[in-house]
Amino acid sequence: SQKIEQNSEALNIQEGKTATLTCNYTNYSPAYLQWYRQDPGRGPVFLLLIRENEKEKRKERLKVTFDTTLKQSLFHITASQPADSATYLCASNYIPTFGRGTSLIVHP
Amino acid sequence: EAQVTQNPRYLITVTGKKLTVTCSQNMNHEYMSWYRQDPGLGLRQIYYSMNVEVTDKGDVPEGYKVSRKEKRNFPLILESPSPNQTSLYFCASSLSQTATRGYTFGSGTRLTVV
């Protein structure tokens, strides 16, 4: 079965810097990966989807990459703001399967 | 407004007392799903439905039932709740299982079984 692995340690960065979160998957490459934002006690909110044959996808300050060689997706938030503080989840289309999420904390 | 509505938002119940958590979506989505989220374990799928009268087990179906009699509704039923079902539950929907536009999640139901 496929597993989605995200760094369980929180990522702390200063406002204005670029945050980079990692999502690794095991076994076969999913057709696509999705990224969600989740605030405490709330439901995840869909942000971006990237397909296996796309190397990069952008949406405003967000950028996602998909590297089938490394079996990895990177999620970048440029010019980060304290309001970006949340947990970010990666999900594959298989089942679908969600990672446990990485907490991002942006300090003013 | 396009949304998935879950009720109740919070629920405290006693062991063995049957309960239903409702889920409704207004987007004409075919695919609906239930998840539970526990600290350190992430989101785990309980049941899903690809269309009316079509349901299937997810990763952790034991102790739960679902039904899909109408396209918009997908209730989660706990026939005899136990303390290990204390969790945060989410309902989600999408146009289809492939969800190329992502899943829309409800606001969650925090269930405590004592």
Side-chain angles (χ1 to χ4, degrees):
Chain A
S1 64
Q2 184 170 75
K3 287 185 183 174
I4 299 292
E5 296 165 347
Q6 295 183 257
N7 195 342
S8 58
E9 282 186 29
L11 177 63
N12 285 272
I13 64 167
Q14 284 300 123
E15 183 175 7
K17 300 291 186 187
T18 296
T20 298
L21 305 176
T22 304
C23 171
N24 295 298
Y25 60 87
T26 61
N27 301 324
Y28 50 86
S29 179
Y32 53 82
L33 288 165
Q34 302 177 359
W35 284 89
Y36 291 79
R37 170 186 172 137
Q38 186 175 25
D39 292 289
R42 310 296 294 182
V45 174
F46 174 70
L47 297 174
L48 278 171
L49 177 149
I50 184 165
R51 298 177 193 278
E52 184 183 15
N53 60 356
E54 296 174 318
K55 288 217 174 348
E56 183 179 296
K57 201 89 167 272
R58 289 176 186 261
K59 180 182 175 183
E60 298 171 355
R61 294 186 295 113
L62 308 180
K63 184 178 88 171
V64 175
T65 62
F66 196 151
D67 188 326
T68 55
T69 303
L70 294 178
K71 294 191 174 182
Q72 182 179 84
S73 174
L74 297 180
F75 177 82
H76 306 272
I77 305 176
T78 57
S80 59
Q81 305 163 2
D84 294 326
S85 298
T87 296
Y88 291 86
L89 306 176
C90 174
S92 80
N93 63 292
Y94 180 72
I95 300 291
T97 303
F98 283 82
R100 296 177 186 181
T102 299
S103 176
L104 171 66
I105 303 165
V106 182
H107 299 276
Chain B
E1 182 191 350
Q3 59 185 357
V4 174
T5 303
Q6 287 179 236
N7 281 298
R9 188 87 169 84
Y10 300 93
L11 179 59
I12 301 175
T13 190
V14 296
T15 300
K17 185 176 181 183
K18 181 179 177 180
L19 67 92
T20 299
V21 183
T22 64
C23 173
S24 180
Q25 50 93 4
N26 62 358
M27 297 164 281
N28 202 35
H29 282 173
E30 289 188 349
Y31 183 85
M32 297 186 74
S33 181
W34 275 103
Y35 292 87
R36 61 178 289 173
Q37 188 173 39
D38 302 288
L41 295 178
L43 282 165
R44 293 181 293 166
Q45 191 177 54
I46 303 170
Y47 269 94
Y48 65 93
S49 168
M50 293 210 275
N51 214 324
V52 175
E53 301 291 3
V54 181
T55 63
D56 211 343
K57 296 177 182 178
D59 293 327
V60 288
E62 294 78 21
Y64 305 94
K65 283 174 58 177
V66 292
S67 69
R68 188 93 181 271
K69 296 192 173 79
E70 306 163 286
K71 199 169 188 178
R72 62 183 294 125
N73 295 324
F74 190 44
L76 179 69
I77 303 154
L78 284 71
E79 294 268 0
S80 182
S82 63
N84 65 11
Q85 292 179 298
T86 292
S87 187
L88 180 57
Y89 290 86
F90 291 104
C91 180
S93 73
S94 65
L95 277 169
S96 68
Q97 189 178 19
T98 54
T100 51
R101 297 183 190 177
Y103 297 96
T104 302
F105 282 82
S107 296
T109 296
R110 188 169 291 280
L111 172 66
T112 303
V113 184
V114 298

